[in-house]
Amino acid sequence: MLEESPGTKIDTVLSKLGKALEKGDIDAVVNLFQADCYWRDLVTFTWNLRTLEGRDQIRDMLTHQLAAIAPSGFRQDEKEVASEDDGVTQGWFEFETGAARGYGHIRLKNGLIWTLLTTMSELKGHEEPKGPMRPKGVQHGHDRARTTWSEKRAQEAAELGYKTQPDVVIIGGGQGGIALGARLRQLGVPTIIIEKNDRPGDSWRKRYKSLCLHDPVWYDHLPYIPFPENWPIFSPKDKIGDWLEMYTKVMELNYWNSTTCKSASYDETTKEWTVVVNRNGEDVVLKPRQLVLATGMSGKANIPVFKGQDVFKGEQQHSSQHPGPDAYKGKKVVVIGSNNSAHDICAALWEAGADVTMVQRSSTHIVRSDSLMEVTLGGLYSEQAVAAGITTRKADLIFASIPYRILPEFQIPLYETMKERDADFYAALEKAGFMHDWGVDGSGLFMKYLRRGSGYYIDVGACDLVIDGSIKLKSGTDVDQLTETGVRLQDGTELPADLVVYATGYGSMNGWAADLISRDVADKVGKCWGLGSDTPKDPGPWEGELRNMWKPTQQEALWFHGGNLHQSRHYSLYLALQLKARQAGLETPVYGLQERHHLS
């Protein structure tokens, strides 16, 4: 008997799955999954971002959702070839629900479903005007009352927020707010982006001068407009700033720069927000139905409190306030911290001729940029991946198809490879006294990023300066206090300083909600980011998805959007579709609204 092809295996299971779902036969659906199984749903079935682990959770979701969702039309994507490797068969499929069209990925073991990804692609009747639906852009014929495109844009800009109200207000005009604003624009959702800086991109321009993206260009595209083919692999901050400014204009976003948000409150009766902003010295009251905080996944700057900060005669800055090294040639600088910003700032200060000391208070995970590119990202985000037909969308979906519970299993072997490949580098780093780790379970950088958003550095050269002593290192001790002339450590070491930089990270994003709305609302929503992995700085219980990100929260009509450029691009689609559905008045029965377990 001939062995079935991978495509035939996928077809067989998808046919059974589709028929069982259409019939409402939940038992038949559940029996298609193996005992150790995962169903990750991005909006289509749950109107949420949820990962269901095991048959019982899948059964519970379908019991609550199946009748309302009305899925149908499960069919393998003919443009993609199913594959089989090491006993796992995988393929791509399309499907529909009553409200939307979806796309998914499936993995089989022994003929049963191991992992299933279902994602919403578009809402029926609310498709983006692209491809065959592309707008004409001009009205042919004769019309004495004709208005030009620029006149229409000027009128919209003058009236939105004054004569007419936006449906969505986005607080924060960095890459997250801009990407989401572009998605909403294409979906016809009136949106205003509020940004305190003078120009789009200033959130990058105003950081320290050596800042650049440590992620490669293939990982960083924005929606609709990818970077050109000659764009550098690692983008300098000012180049990114200019790109964001261009993008904001070309994508016709209603972007209120030089505007600060003073307060926001939600009326449970009218189901609308009252958002007070100051624009051009004048208070403006906005009345959106939905409010999005896109103020960065890292939240508010975390500035530690040490005895003596009030008596220190030099300068003190958080890393987010550090202007760069130019004013500190010949000066003594102490940088508290040992993650990305700390290394970047220390290296730039050394290049400028400063005498710089890094204080490492706890262990840090280091991965060399070249190794990260080749070993972990190369298969999905690289020139080779593009040549192999891995589009940005496909790469995003492949990555999204791996449930967070088992993602460490996929990551650990990659970091074992890097550990061997760069053994001499790590030996030299540890010989210099640097405390290094691979994450609590050896799963490396991306799991640390998901769990806590900190604790790592992608090395682009600063580590060589630590190894050879050009950047002085004090590790394994904390700050005792600041004196008039420097920093005293708990081990008794005195570090003279003209400048102290606190590269000490950021708090939870709900800290912004406390400032803009109220502490009660911030506490109602709870901690943002993290998976509930019960690892350092990511307390349990297990969530299975990032807390409060891109999905409904315990505060009605309040959303959080952020992350790196990859996440801002990929998850902005699912957040935009959720917002569009509400604007259009569609039924959005949310399954598994996240509970609050931690305040921040």
Side-chain angles (χ1 to χ4, degrees):
M1 181 175 175
L2 292 175
E3 176 73 17
E4 283 187 315
S5 70
T8 300
K9 293 178 182 180
I10 296 293
D11 275 337
T12 299
V13 173
L14 283 177
S15 176
K16 292 178 180 179
L17 177 65
K19 288 177 181 177
L21 287 169
E22 289 187 48
K23 289 179 180 179
D25 190 342
I26 293 174
D27 287 339
V29 174
V30 172
N31 289 335
L32 292 171
F33 288 81
Q34 65 170 26
D36 171 30
C37 60
Y38 304 88
W39 182 344
R40 188 176 192 214
D41 181 63
L42 304 183
V43 186
T44 46
F45 279 75
T46 60
W47 287 105
N48 200 348
L49 274 61
R50 292 285 297 181
T51 298
L52 311 160
E53 302 181 359
R55 291 175 169 178
D56 289 345
Q57 289 189 16
I58 291 171
R59 182 187 302 277
D60 187 75
M61 184 276 285
L62 291 174
T63 299
H64 285 88
Q65 299 293 101
L66 185 54
I69 299 304
S72 65
F74 278 72
R75 58 200 177 275
Q76 193 167 179
D77 183 354
E78 296 177 353
K79 299 185 294 297
E80 297 290 344
V81 179
S83 63
E84 192 165 60
D85 184 49
D86 199 24
V88 177
T89 307
Q90 55 184 317
W92 299 91
F93 63 93
E94 300 169 311
F95 67 101
E96 296 184 12
T97 67
R101 297 179 186 88
Y103 196 74
H105 183 272
I106 187 171
R107 291 186 181 89
L108 307 178
K109 283 185 177 180
N110 300 315
L112 294 175
I113 300 172
W114 176 36
T115 70
L116 185 70
L117 171 72
T118 49
T119 72
M120 185 177 289
S121 300
E122 61 184 4
L123 291 164
K124 294 178 180 177
H126 304 283
E127 296 83 359
E128 292 185 3
K130 61 183 180 181
M133 301 174 64
R134 183 193 299 270
K136 198 167 187 178
V138 65
Q139 181 181 346
H140 291 154
H142 308 282
D143 184 358
R144 285 179 170 170
R146 182 191 301 274
T147 54
T148 65
W149 169 85
S150 62
E151 289 169 336
K152 291 176 182 176
R153 277 292 294 137
Q155 181 179 3
E156 178 188 14
E159 293 183 354
L160 189 63
Y162 297 95
K163 289 186 178 181
T164 61
Q165 285 299 317
D167 194 76
V168 176
V169 164
I170 301 171
I171 308 296
Q175 71 247 16
I178 287 171
L180 178 59
R183 298 273 195 196
L184 292 170
R185 178 78 184 183
Q186 296 308 302
L187 288 169
V189 180
T191 301
I192 293 176
I193 302 170
I194 304 298
E195 171 56 45
K196 65 182 179 181
N197 283 310
D198 296 334
R199 296 164 57 195
D202 274 354
S203 56
W204 286 88
R205 292 188 192 94
K206 291 186 175 182
R207 296 293 303 280
Y208 52 91
K209 66 183 291 185
S210 62
L211 177 65
C212 68
L213 282 173
H214 294 310
D215 300 320
V217 63
W218 308 278
Y219 189 75
D220 294 329
H221 296 299
L222 290 179
Y224 310 113
I225 308 177
F227 292 113
E229 291 185 358
N230 62 349
W231 195 265
I233 293 174
F234 301 109
S235 302
K237 70 179 184 74
D238 297 290
K239 194 171 180 66
I240 283 287
D242 289 348
W243 182 263
L244 291 173
E245 187 168 27
M246 176 280 299
Y247 186 94
T248 301
K249 186 171 184 179
V250 169
M251 295 304 295
E252 303 176 24
L253 305 187
N254 294 299
Y255 192 96
W256 286 15
N257 53 294
S258 303
T259 303
T260 56
C261 184
K262 298 175 67 175
S263 66
S265 60
Y266 187 67
D267 189 320
E268 299 285 351
T269 302
T270 63
K271 303 296 184 184
E272 69 179 16
W273 289 92
T274 298
V275 181
V276 181
V277 303
N278 186 272
R279 187 187 193 201
N280 300 323
E282 174 189 3
D283 282 357
V284 181
V285 178
L286 302 173
K287 294 281 190 176
R289 309 293 290 186
Q290 308 290 334
L291 181 64
V292 180
L293 299 187
T295 46
M297 58 77 56
S298 299
K300 299 178 63 178
N302 178 27
I303 302 177
V305 176
F306 297 123
K307 180 182 176 182
Q309 285 174 317
D310 57 333
V311 302
F312 177 62
K313 291 184 176 179
E315 290 184 73
Q316 298 177 69
Q317 305 160 347
H318 187 265
S319 57
S320 60
Q321 304 161 329
H322 180 63
D326 293 348
Y328 303 103
K329 181 178 181 179
K331 303 287 188 180
K332 294 184 179 297
V333 183
V334 174
V335 177
I336 312 297
S338 55
N339 296 334
N340 263 333
S341 293
H343 278 84
D344 284 348
I345 289 170
C346 284
L349 285 164
W350 176 85
E351 288 180 348
D355 179 341
V356 58
T357 301
M358 177 190 294
V359 176
Q360 183 187 27
R361 302 184 297 169
S362 59
S363 181
T364 304
H365 170 55
I366 305 289
V367 58
R368 300 183 77 181
S369 176
D370 289 348
S371 297
L372 183 70
M373 291 262 297
E374 293 176 28
V375 177
T376 66
L377 293 176
L380 296 180
Y381 301 99
S382 67
E383 210 63 59
Q384 292 73 26
V386 172
I390 306 292
T391 63
T392 301
R393 176 175 181 260
K394 186 175 181 180
D396 290 348
L397 289 171
I398 291 172
F399 197 77
S401 74
I402 306 172
Y404 289 131
R405 175 75 81 175
I406 59 175
L407 185 56
E409 298 175 22
F410 288 75
Q411 295 288 298
I412 289 169
L414 304 179
Y415 288 91
E416 289 292 334
T417 297
M418 283 186 274
K419 186 185 297 186
E420 295 179 15
R421 168 180 169 144
D422 298 324
D424 291 345
F425 166 78
Y426 290 112
L429 196 60
E430 290 170 10
K431 184 178 180 181
F434 194 89
M435 299 184 297
H436 178 257
D437 69 79
W438 294 90
V440 69
D441 55 359
S443 59
L445 185 146
F446 200 70
M447 292 311 303
K448 265 202 168 187
Y449 172 70
L450 292 169
R451 290 164 173 168
R452 54 185 282 189
S454 64
Y456 52 84
Y457 168 57
I458 301 173
D459 180 39
V460 292
C463 285
D464 291 338
L465 298 175
V466 173
I467 289 168
D468 70 15
S470 297
I471 295 173
K472 299 172 185 175
L473 177 68
K474 285 295 298 182
S475 62
T477 186
D478 206 338
V479 175
D480 177 53
Q481 67 180 76
L482 271 64
T483 66
E484 289 188 357
T485 57
V487 178
R488 181 181 300 153
L489 302 179
Q490 289 178 351
D491 66 0
T493 303
E494 299 270 355
L495 300 175
D498 301 297
L499 167 68
V500 176
V501 178
Y502 299 111
T504 45
Y506 300 83
S508 173
M509 283 180 70
N510 68 330
W512 294 114
D515 286 351
L516 296 175
I517 308 168
S518 69
R519 171 52 61 184
D520 287 345
V521 167
D523 289 348
K524 182 179 180 180
V525 169
K527 182 179 177 65
C528 297
W529 208 260
L531 300 170
S533 62
D534 201 25
T535 59
K537 297 189 179 182
D538 184 27
W542 177 250
E543 301 285 357
E545 294 286 341
L546 287 170
R547 296 182 187 92
N548 287 314
M549 298 304 297
W550 316 296
K551 59 185 178 181
T553 68
Q554 288 288 342
Q555 172 57 58
E556 184 179 11
L558 177 65
W559 311 77
F560 292 87
H561 177 55
N564 57 30
L565 279 157
H566 156 260
Q567 290 169 310
S568 293
R569 172 188 68 247
H570 181 59
Y571 289 101
S572 61
L573 170 62
Y574 308 114
L575 177 49
L577 288 169
Q578 292 174 83
L579 294 169
K580 176 62 183 181
R582 285 160 174 79
Q583 186 236 6
L586 304 181
E587 291 295 321
T588 57
V590 175
Y591 174 79
L593 184 66
Q594 182 190 300
E595 298 179 19
R596 186 212 72 188
H597 298 288
H598 307 282
L599 299 183
S600 62

